Amino acid sequence: MSQIDGLPPLRDVITRHGIAAKKSLGQNFLLDLNLTAKIARLAGDLTGADVLEIGPGPGGLTRGLLAEGARRVVAIEKDTRCIAALEEIAAIYPGQLQIVNGDALEVDTTALLRPPVKIAANLPYNVGTELLVRWLTPPSWPPFWESLTLMFQREVAQRIVAAPGSKTYGRLAILSQWRTDPAIVLDLPPEAFTPAPKVSSAVVHLRALPAPRYPADPDVLNRVVATAFNQRRKMLRSALKPLGPDTEDRLNHAGIKPTARAEEIDLEGFCALARAYTA
Ligand code: SAM
């Protein structure tokens, strides 16, 4: 029995339910419940909040979130093998854990959640970045969530907090820093996971700002930044050509030298450029 909730250790749960880790689903599990409780605490005060958890797997982080006092957890898991294990957790937290067996890229979660909402997840890389971009680029702001507490490969975490001029500066840094204040709050070695991945991981905490730092249309900003960094070594006057005519005029209008490269432009510059493309 574990100290945090009296449920069996996660290794037993995995064996009993036959949840051998599948590479295709990016399954690297956290089995140390003290660690999952620590990650849950990094999400802030959960009492009185609904938590959206993506990819609960056998439920390590889910148990951490509930033990730390989450009002409710809504957990979206694609792997049907995990559902019976998650139902055992739901049984000892009556009415507090809603399990959805589905693909997080397809489930509309907003109808399932009551504000305030916090999002917490330990996700595979490809799904994680896709969801992060979606959470950061809704048409209006503030979004349905207050904060995101997300595990990423360390290299992805560094891209989220990167400053202009650095190798890792790009679309994730700009979209994240435009509407939130991201910070790396925990580093984890590969051995923290079962099976151990090849690379280190990090937890990033992103708190939604009440308003974006500078005005811009999210779709236009996303497109401008993706195009600019698609050919990051090129000068912007040629890198931005795929966006249409008048590239130099728009750059000048935004106060950016047409000979500059994407990695030299700060967030304020990219927002001005997005406005020049919206005009
Ligand atoms: N949260 C668990 C933990 O920390 O031990 C599991 C983390 S594991 C890195 C990622 C989890 O996401 C797996 O349980 C996997 O089945 C699930 N997953 C992968 N793709 C998904 C998707 N598109 N939608 C929902 N869950 C997904």
Side-chain angles (χ1 to χ4, degrees):
M1 292 293 147
S2 107
Q3 282 176 350
I4 73 165
D5 53 20
L7 281 161
L10 283 156
R11 270 186 209 288
D12 295 0
V13 172
I14 285 172
T15 309
R16 203 155 31 84
H17 292 281
I19 315 175
K22 278 191 189 167
K23 224 177 171 171
S24 59
L25 285 168
Q27 291 181 334
N28 301 98
F29 300 129
L30 289 168
L31 302 187
D32 176 350
L33 289 160
N34 292 316
L35 180 56
T36 62
K38 182 173 176 179
I39 296 168
R41 284 195 292 278
L42 293 172
D45 182 10
L46 302 178
T47 55
D50 277 10
V51 181
L52 173 62
E53 187 192 358
I54 308 294
L61 181 56
T62 321
R63 286 164 64 172
L65 294 165
L66 288 162
E68 288 303 315
R71 176 178 68 196
R72 272 179 76 239
V73 175
V74 174
I76 320 281
E77 174 55 60
K78 191 171 175 180
D79 187 351
T80 310
R81 299 175 308 161
C82 299
I83 303 306
L86 294 167
E87 276 165 358
E88 289 177 1
I89 306 171
I92 70 151
Y93 288 99
Q96 280 182 272
L97 174 59
Q98 181 172 355
I99 306 153
V100 180
N101 188 192
D103 185 334
L105 295 170
E106 275 151 33
V107 176
D108 176 12
T109 48
T110 46
L112 308 173
L113 297 157
R114 208 158 43 91
V117 174
K118 298 187 180 214
I119 300 181
N122 169 21
L123 268 175
Y125 161 71
N126 54 344
V127 185
T129 47
E130 167 70 30
L131 285 171
L132 174 62
V133 169
R134 287 190 196 182
W135 287 326
L136 293 170
T137 55
S140 63
W141 201 260
F144 72 91
W145 50 270
E146 275 187 355
S147 69
L148 310 173
T149 307
L150 305 173
M151 179 88 69
F152 287 105
Q153 294 180 10
R154 181 152 173 80
E155 179 261 328
V156 178
Q158 280 165 334
R159 281 165 46 198
I160 293 170
V161 301
S166 73
K167 264 199 334 265
T168 46
Y169 181 63
R171 186 171 75 123
L172 283 186
I174 290 157
L175 294 181
S176 303
Q177 296 168 32
W178 177 46
R179 285 173 150 179
T180 80
D181 57 355
I184 294 179
V185 289
L186 184 68
D187 285 309
L188 287 173
E191 311 80 67
F193 302 85
T194 304
K198 289 204 176 68
V199 294
S200 298
S201 300
V203 177
V204 185
H205 186 264
L206 306 97
R207 187 178 53 92
L209 298 173
R213 288 184 206 275
Y214 308 100
D217 177 274
D219 288 339
V220 179
L221 180 65
N222 195 3
R223 218 160 352 105
V224 166
V225 172
T227 312
F229 282 97
N230 199 22
Q231 303 186 75
R232 59 190 295 143
R233 304 248 157 267
K234 281 200 175 168
M235 292 179 190
L236 286 170
R237 67 179 173 207
S238 32
L240 293 174
K241 284 246 165 73
L243 291 177
D246 309 325
T247 309
E248 294 216 10
D249 286 353
R250 292 181 204 270
L251 283 161
N252 287 326
H253 191 253
I256 296 171
K257 277 200 276 179
T259 52
R261 291 175 170 77
E263 62 194 25
E264 298 165 41
I265 309 304
D266 63 10
L267 173 62
E268 188 172 8
F270 271 114
C271 290
L273 191 54
R275 293 197 298 278
Y277 271 97
T278 312

